[in-house]
Amino acid sequence: MNGTGECWPCNIQCGDGIWIQEKEYCDDGNKDDGDGCSSECEIESDYNCINKLEVDQVGLLSRYPSRCTSTQSRLLLIVLISVLIPILTITLLIVMFLWKKLQNSQSFIESYKKKFTASSGYFIIDEDEIIRDQVIGEG
């Protein structure tokens, strides 16, 4: 008896949220199909269900509904990770290549500035200001 005069767990049935190990594979508290635990209290394909047990005087019972999760979401996550890792790796390699090219081009520009200054008599003060060397020009 459960304190209300009813036989308990005698009236337990699929869909009431009380999982009985000997009778049900899962019991999520409803009789809906497509949520992991079917209307017949069987675990549906592509789902995992967790059943929480409590020891009762009658046997192993759960007063908590089964929690079912799709294994497809895990598969999707694995696919996403396996696709994203190569993309991120390639992106990193491209960035590293471009960074090296940028450094090489900056070295080229600095070298060119020195050659230009030496051959033309111009001193490059900064990137925006060039002045004529007074000493070379007015000899």
Side-chain angles (χ1 to χ4, degrees):
M1 296 292 181
N2 67 358
T4 62
E6 296 176 12
C7 177
W8 191 88
C10 305
N11 297 329
I12 292 177
Q13 55 187 331
C14 177
D16 62 4
I18 302 171
W19 175 65
I20 300 179
Q21 185 176 13
E22 295 81 18
K23 295 182 179 182
E24 303 167 321
Y25 292 101
C26 58
D27 193 331
D28 59 357
N30 64 56
K31 289 198 161 231
D32 298 337
D33 287 327
D35 62 355
C37 186
S38 73
S39 60
E40 301 297 320
C41 289
E42 295 176 355
I43 299 173
E44 297 173 322
S45 63
D46 299 324
Y47 280 89
N48 287 328
C49 295
I50 298 173
N51 300 304
K52 189 173 179 182
L53 299 175
E54 286 185 358
V55 178
D56 191 306
Q57 54 201 334
V58 176
L60 294 176
L61 297 177
S62 174
R63 299 184 198 282
Y64 305 98
S66 302
R67 287 187 6 227
C68 300
T69 56
S70 172
T71 57
Q72 294 296 329
S73 60
R74 291 181 189 147
L75 179 63
L76 179 61
L77 180 62
I78 290 169
V79 169
L80 279 175
I81 289 172
S82 64
V83 168
L84 287 178
I85 287 175
I87 290 172
L88 291 174
T89 303
I90 291 169
T91 303
L92 181 62
L93 290 172
I94 291 170
V95 168
M96 289 170 56
F97 173 77
L98 292 175
W99 181 256
K100 185 70 173 169
K101 283 288 196 186
L102 178 63
Q103 288 177 330
N104 288 342
S105 65
Q106 287 175 340
S107 297
F108 173 78
I109 290 170
E110 290 301 319
S111 172
Y112 182 76
K113 283 180 181 179
K114 289 177 186 175
K115 288 178 186 176
F116 178 74
T117 301
S119 66
S120 67
Y122 285 92
F123 289 112
I124 298 176
I125 303 301
D126 60 32
E127 293 180 7
D128 297 326
E129 185 178 353
I130 302 175
I131 61 171
R132 176 93 175 124
D133 178 5
Q134 299 297 319
V135 177
I136 295 175
E138 295 179 9

